[in-house]
Amino acid sequence: MLPVAVVISGRGSNMEAIARAAQLGDSRYRVVRVIADRPEAGGLARAATLGVPTAVVPVKSFTDRAAFEEALHAEIAASGAELVALAGFMRILSPRFVARLEGRLLNIHPSLLPKLRGIHTHERALAAGETEHGASIHFVTPELDGGPAFLQASVPVLPGDDAERLAERVLAQEHRLYPLALRWFAEGRVRLDGDTVRLDGRPLAQPARLAELEPDAAR
Ligand code: GRF
Protein backbone atom coordinates (compact mmCIF):
# COMPACT_ATOMS: atom_id res chain seq x y z
CA MET A 1 0.00 0.00 0.00
CA LEU A 2 1.49 3.28 -1.09
CA PRO A 3 1.37 5.89 1.69
CA VAL A 4 0.04 9.18 0.31
CA ALA A 5 -0.14 12.66 1.87
CA VAL A 6 -2.76 15.05 0.52
CA VAL A 7 -2.05 18.77 0.79
CA ILE A 8 -4.99 21.20 0.66
CA SER A 9 -5.94 24.82 1.19
CA GLY A 10 -9.72 24.74 0.94
CA ARG A 11 -12.87 22.65 0.91
CA GLY A 12 -11.09 19.41 0.03
CA SER A 13 -13.57 17.70 -2.26
CA ASN A 14 -10.73 16.15 -4.25
CA MET A 15 -9.09 15.04 -1.03
CA GLU A 16 -12.37 13.41 -0.02
CA ALA A 17 -12.64 11.57 -3.33
CA ILE A 18 -9.06 10.34 -2.87
CA ALA A 19 -9.61 9.29 0.74
CA ARG A 20 -12.93 7.55 0.01
CA ALA A 21 -11.39 5.58 -2.84
CA ALA A 22 -8.53 4.61 -0.52
CA GLN A 23 -11.02 3.07 1.88
CA LEU A 24 -12.40 0.68 -0.73
CA GLY A 25 -11.14 -2.87 -0.49
CA ASP A 26 -9.15 -2.89 -3.70
CA SER A 27 -7.20 0.33 -3.12
CA ARG A 28 -3.45 0.25 -3.74
CA TYR A 29 -2.77 3.38 -1.68
CA ARG A 30 -3.78 4.80 1.68
CA VAL A 31 -3.96 8.39 2.86
CA VAL A 32 -1.61 8.73 5.81
CA ARG A 33 -2.15 12.45 6.38
CA VAL A 34 -4.10 15.43 5.13
CA ILE A 35 -2.10 18.61 5.55
CA ALA A 36 -3.60 22.10 5.24
CA ASP A 37 -1.82 25.43 5.07
CA ARG A 38 -4.61 27.15 7.00
CA PRO A 39 -6.67 26.02 9.99
CA GLU A 40 -9.89 27.24 8.29
CA ALA A 41 -9.57 24.77 5.42
CA GLY A 42 -12.93 23.02 5.19
CA GLY A 43 -11.25 19.82 4.09
CA LEU A 44 -9.81 19.26 7.56
CA ALA A 45 -13.25 18.43 8.97
CA ARG A 46 -14.03 16.21 6.00
CA ALA A 47 -10.78 14.31 6.56
CA ALA A 48 -11.48 13.91 10.26
CA THR A 49 -14.94 12.53 9.46
CA LEU A 50 -13.26 9.94 7.27
CA GLY A 51 -10.86 9.03 10.06
CA VAL A 52 -7.80 10.38 8.24
CA PRO A 53 -5.10 12.03 10.39
CA THR A 54 -4.80 15.77 9.76
CA ALA A 55 -2.18 18.43 10.34
CA VAL A 56 -2.02 22.16 9.82
CA VAL A 57 1.13 23.99 8.79
CA PRO A 58 -0.24 27.52 9.13
CA VAL A 59 1.41 29.60 6.46
CA LYS A 60 0.58 32.82 8.29
CA SER A 61 2.73 31.90 11.26
CA PHE A 62 5.92 31.78 9.19
CA THR A 63 7.93 34.85 8.32
CA ASP A 64 9.00 33.62 4.90
CA ARG A 65 8.26 30.96 2.34
CA ALA A 66 11.44 29.02 3.03
CA ALA A 67 10.49 28.50 6.67
CA PHE A 68 6.93 27.48 5.73
CA GLU A 69 8.19 25.01 3.16
CA GLU A 70 10.68 23.55 5.60
CA ALA A 71 7.84 22.89 8.06
CA LEU A 72 5.62 21.47 5.31
CA HIS A 73 8.40 19.18 4.18
CA ALA A 74 8.98 18.01 7.75
CA GLU A 75 5.27 17.24 8.16
CA ILE A 76 5.25 15.22 4.94
CA ALA A 77 8.40 13.33 5.98
CA ALA A 78 6.94 12.60 9.42
CA SER A 79 3.81 11.17 7.81
CA GLY A 80 5.85 8.54 5.99
CA ALA A 81 4.23 9.48 2.68
CA GLU A 82 5.96 8.29 -0.46
CA LEU A 83 3.73 10.34 -2.73
CA VAL A 84 2.30 13.82 -2.20
CA ALA A 85 -0.95 14.84 -3.88
CA LEU A 86 -1.66 18.57 -4.03
CA ALA A 87 -5.43 18.97 -4.14
CA GLY A 88 -6.63 22.55 -4.22
CA PHE A 89 -3.40 23.75 -2.64
CA MET A 90 -3.24 27.45 -3.42
CA ARG A 91 0.46 28.24 -2.94
CA ILE A 92 3.28 28.34 -5.40
CA LEU A 93 6.07 26.05 -4.28
CA SER A 94 9.73 26.93 -4.68
CA PRO A 95 11.98 25.00 -7.07
CA ARG A 96 13.91 23.74 -4.06
CA PHE A 97 10.79 22.24 -2.43
CA VAL A 98 9.69 20.70 -5.72
CA ALA A 99 13.14 19.25 -6.39
CA ARG A 100 13.15 17.47 -3.05
CA LEU A 101 9.99 15.62 -4.06
CA GLU A 102 10.82 15.16 -7.72
CA GLY A 103 8.70 12.46 -9.30
CA ARG A 104 6.67 12.08 -6.10
CA LEU A 105 4.58 15.26 -6.26
CA LEU A 106 1.29 15.41 -8.17
CA ASN A 107 -1.24 18.18 -8.72
CA ILE A 108 -4.69 18.49 -10.19
CA HIS A 109 -5.39 21.46 -12.42
CA PRO A 110 -8.83 22.42 -13.73
CA SER A 111 -8.00 22.67 -17.43
CA LEU A 112 -6.84 20.53 -20.30
CA LEU A 113 -3.15 21.36 -19.89
CA PRO A 114 -1.16 22.81 -21.53
CA LYS A 115 -4.19 25.05 -22.09
CA LEU A 116 -5.11 27.56 -19.39
CA ARG A 117 -2.38 27.38 -16.80
CA GLY A 118 -2.91 29.57 -13.74
CA ILE A 119 -6.14 30.63 -12.04
CA HIS A 120 -9.74 31.35 -13.15
CA THR A 121 -9.60 28.60 -15.74
CA HIS A 122 -13.38 28.20 -16.07
CA GLU A 123 -13.96 31.91 -16.73
CA ARG A 124 -11.10 31.91 -19.21
CA ALA A 125 -12.36 28.80 -21.01
CA LEU A 126 -15.72 30.53 -21.49
CA ALA A 127 -14.14 33.82 -22.56
CA ALA A 128 -12.00 32.01 -25.12
CA GLY A 129 -15.06 30.31 -26.60
CA GLU A 130 -13.70 26.82 -25.91
CA THR A 131 -16.09 23.99 -26.75
CA GLU A 132 -14.19 21.53 -24.58
CA HIS A 133 -12.73 21.98 -21.11
CA GLY A 134 -11.61 19.64 -18.36
CA ALA A 135 -9.01 18.75 -15.77
CA SER A 136 -5.52 17.29 -15.70
CA ILE A 137 -3.30 15.39 -13.30
CA HIS A 138 0.34 16.32 -13.70
CA PHE A 139 3.69 15.84 -12.06
CA VAL A 140 4.78 19.06 -10.40
CA THR A 141 7.92 20.70 -11.69
CA PRO A 142 9.26 24.15 -10.82
CA GLU A 143 7.31 25.71 -13.71
CA LEU A 144 3.79 26.65 -12.51
CA ASP A 145 1.23 24.19 -13.93
CA GLY A 146 3.95 23.27 -16.41
CA GLY A 147 4.90 19.76 -15.30
CA PRO A 148 3.90 16.92 -17.59
CA ALA A 149 0.26 15.87 -17.47
CA PHE A 150 -0.55 12.18 -17.81
CA LEU A 151 -4.27 11.87 -17.15
CA GLN A 152 -7.11 14.12 -18.24
CA ALA A 153 -10.87 14.15 -18.47
CA SER A 154 -12.78 16.48 -20.74
CA VAL A 155 -16.26 17.92 -20.52
CA PRO A 156 -18.23 19.79 -23.15
CA VAL A 157 -18.83 23.51 -22.72
CA LEU A 158 -22.59 23.81 -23.10
CA PRO A 159 -24.69 26.72 -24.32
CA GLY A 160 -25.71 28.88 -21.39
CA ASP A 161 -22.83 27.73 -19.19
CA ASP A 162 -21.50 30.09 -16.60
CA ALA A 163 -18.25 29.55 -14.74
CA GLU A 164 -20.01 27.94 -11.80
CA ARG A 165 -21.88 25.36 -13.86
CA LEU A 166 -18.79 24.58 -15.88
CA ALA A 167 -16.70 24.24 -12.73
CA GLU A 168 -19.22 21.75 -11.31
CA ARG A 169 -19.04 19.62 -14.44
CA VAL A 170 -15.25 19.67 -14.35
CA LEU A 171 -15.15 18.92 -10.61
CA ALA A 172 -17.17 15.73 -11.08
CA GLN A 173 -14.44 14.56 -13.44
CA GLU A 174 -11.68 15.65 -11.07
CA HIS A 175 -13.12 13.31 -8.48
CA ARG A 176 -12.71 10.38 -10.87
CA LEU A 177 -9.28 11.42 -12.10
CA TYR A 178 -7.28 11.73 -8.91
CA PRO A 179 -8.05 8.31 -7.39
CA LEU A 180 -7.19 6.68 -10.72
CA ALA A 181 -3.93 8.63 -11.03
CA LEU A 182 -2.93 7.55 -7.54
CA ARG A 183 -3.78 3.95 -8.34
CA TRP A 184 -1.60 4.10 -11.44
CA PHE A 185 1.27 5.54 -9.43
CA ALA A 186 0.82 3.01 -6.64
CA GLU A 187 0.85 0.18 -9.16
CA GLY A 188 4.09 1.51 -10.62
CA ARG A 189 2.41 2.13 -13.96
CA VAL A 190 3.23 5.83 -14.12
CA ARG A 191 6.63 7.40 -13.51
CA LEU A 192 8.38 10.67 -14.19
CA ASP A 193 11.52 10.18 -16.23
CA GLY A 194 13.27 13.52 -16.73
CA ASP A 195 10.68 15.71 -18.46
CA THR A 196 8.67 12.76 -19.71
CA VAL A 197 6.00 10.63 -18.13
CA ARG A 198 6.24 6.92 -18.75
CA LEU A 199 3.03 4.91 -18.64
CA ASP A 200 3.59 1.17 -18.51
CA GLY A 201 7.21 1.84 -19.43
CA ARG A 202 6.45 3.79 -22.60
CA PRO A 203 6.93 7.53 -22.96
CA LEU A 204 3.56 9.23 -23.07
CA ALA A 205 3.24 11.70 -25.94
CA GLN A 206 -0.24 12.88 -24.89
CA PRO A 207 -2.01 12.56 -21.55
CA ALA A 208 -4.40 9.61 -21.35
CA ARG A 209 -8.06 10.70 -21.53
CA LEU A 210 -10.39 9.22 -18.93
CA ALA A 211 -13.45 9.34 -21.17
CA GLU A 212 -11.62 7.19 -23.68
CA LEU A 213 -10.58 4.73 -21.02
CA GLU A 214 -14.03 4.49 -19.50
CA PRO A 215 -16.39 5.19 -22.38
CA ASP A 216 -19.53 4.27 -20.42
CA ALA A 217 -18.89 6.77 -17.65
CA ALA A 218 -21.43 9.56 -17.33
CA ARG A 219 -20.21 12.93 -18.51
C1 GRF B 1 -10.23 22.07 -7.85
O1 GRF B 1 -10.99 22.57 -8.90
C2 GRF B 1 -8.80 21.89 -8.27
O2 GRF B 1 -8.67 21.47 -9.59
C3 GRF B 1 -8.24 23.26 -8.11
O3 GRF B 1 -8.84 23.77 -6.96
C4 GRF B 1 -10.08 23.12 -6.74
C5 GRF B 1 -10.02 22.50 -5.40
O4 GRF B 1 -11.25 21.97 -4.98
N1 GRF B 1 -6.81 23.22 -8.09
P1 GRF B 1 -11.33 21.05 -3.70
O5 GRF B 1 -10.67 21.80 -2.55
O6 GRF B 1 -10.62 19.77 -4.00
O7 GRF B 1 -12.79 20.87 -3.46
Side-chain angles (χ1 to χ4, degrees):
M1 288 283 252
L2 177 81
V4 175
V6 184
V7 181
I8 64 169
S9 295
R11 72 189 155 181
S13 72
N14 277 287
M15 176 281 301
E16 182 168 348
I18 290 168
R20 284 192 183 282
Q23 292 176 351
L24 301 176
D26 67 342
S27 179
R28 304 295 300 271
Y29 69 88
R30 66 200 164 92
V31 180
V32 291
R33 201 162 303 186
V34 170
I35 306 170
D37 62 350
R38 33 194 296 270
E40 305 81 27
L44 289 167
R46 290 185 184 225
T49 302
L50 290 166
V52 178
T54 60
V56 182
V57 181
V59 68
K60 281 188 186 154
S61 68
F62 295 90
T63 48
D64 58 26
R65 181 165 78 168
F68 165 70
E69 288 189 346
E70 205 47 52
L72 179 58
H73 195 274
E75 190 64 48
I76 290 166
S79 76
E82 289 169 19
L83 180 71
V84 178
L86 305 179
F89 180 64
M90 297 308 289
R91 316 230 146 246
I92 296 174
L93 294 164
S94 71
R96 179 168 179 271
F97 182 94
V98 172
R100 287 167 90 183
L101 290 170
E102 190 184 349
R104 300 189 296 126
L105 184 59
L106 300 181
N107 184 40
I108 187 159
H109 182 74
S111 81
L112 296 171
L113 289 171
K115 283 187 181 177
L116 303 172
R117 294 178 184 181
I119 58 174
H120 302 312
T121 57
H122 309 302
E123 288 84 347
R124 286 159 58 213
L126 290 170
E130 299 282 358
T131 55
E132 185 192 45
H133 186 40
S136 307
I137 307 286
H138 67 97
F139 280 97
V140 178
T141 62
E143 194 186 346
L144 183 64
D145 301 331
F150 60 90
L151 184 60
Q152 296 182 324
S154 64
V155 301
V157 179
L158 299 177
D161 265 353
D162 56 17
E164 201 178 322
R165 255 184 284 181
L166 186 54
E168 251 176 52
R169 196 174 308 125
V170 171
L171 194 65
Q173 298 303 309
E174 294 184 35
H175 296 164
R176 302 166 60 218
L177 281 180
Y178 228 152
L180 181 61
L182 297 182
R183 166 177 282 272
W184 281 6
F185 190 95
E187 291 173 340
R189 293 188 59 191
V190 65
R191 285 283 173 264
L192 183 66
D193 181 9
D195 295 337
T196 317
V197 177
R198 286 182 178 272
L199 181 61
D200 298 330
R202 285 183 294 280
L204 199 59
Q206 298 288 332
R209 280 281 179 107
L210 191 51
E212 290 163 18
L213 296 168
E214 295 176 17
D216 300 336
R219 289 207 132 201

